Amino acid sequence: AAGVTTTLYLRQRRTTARIHTAINNMTQGLCMWSPTAKLILRNETYVKMYGLAPELARPGSSLRSLIDHRIKVGSFTGNPDQYVADLVSENAKGKIVSAMREHAGRYIAIVNHPMPNGGWVATHEDITERRRAEERITHLAHYDALTDLPNRTLFHDQIKRELGHVAPDRQLAVLYIDIDEFKGVNDAL
């Protein structure tokens, strides 16, 4: 019987070590919270993402205490009591809550998944590069890549918008300037 117990214990330790390794090698920050917003588990990515001291983000820590620390270091804005109350309330209703928060010039996508016991699992993903790429693509859709001047698409969009505001008794003027051989200069340079 002692051999079986030891074998089960060793299997459980190996399984726990594997889970720990997997969680700490995720690119997303991961937290599990109790129904009362106490930290059950978190990974290293979460700690690094928010610049938390590992000893501050230990199991049993309250979400409010972590937010208080983030307020001190300038990585949280807003009403912390309202934030925690809203989060606990929405998760208690069984709703998946998604949000995007700006943090120190970065964009963090947060998804909170309710658990049957009333707590929730939260994933935090730094989507800054994706967001910047989207902004760059949007910019390139409306501006020339070489000159950074507005392009035809933006011109058409603005004309449509302005035409929608013109009353029957009002006028709209468009000034068109044709620069000789600009296309050749633009293409060459």
Side-chain angles (χ1 to χ4, degrees), residues 63-118:
L63 176 57
R64 176 58 200 255
S65 68
L66 295 180
I67 291 174
D68 285 342
H69 175 74
R70 290 185 50 208
I71 289 170
K72 287 178 189 171
V73 298
S75 69
F76 184 91
T77 57
N79 181 328
D81 291 323
Q82 189 66 50
Y83 178 79
V84 172
D86 290 347
L87 195 54
V88 170
S89 171
E90 291 302 308
N91 281 298
K93 293 175 189 172
K95 294 182 179 179
I96 294 176
V97 180
S98 297
M100 184 168 43
R101 296 185 64 91
E102 190 172 346
H103 165 69
R106 297 180 328 197
Y107 293 97
I108 308 292
I110 304 168
V111 180
N112 298 297
H113 295 272
M115 295 188 305
N117 69 358

Side-chain angles (χ1 to χ4, degrees), residues 142-143 150-165 172:
H142 296 100
Y143 292 86
N151 65 16
R152 285 185 184 103
T153 304
L154 182 59
F155 173 75
H156 287 288
D157 291 347
Q158 289 177 338
I159 289 292
K160 284 179 189 174
R161 186 178 67 239
E162 292 304 320
L163 286 172
H165 298 315
L172 173 68

Side-chain angles (χ1 to χ4, degrees), residues 3-14:
V4 171
T5 303
T6 303
T7 302
L8 290 175
Y9 174 75
L10 290 175
R11 270 192 203 156
Q12 184 177 6
R13 284 196 61 185
R14 280 194 302 268

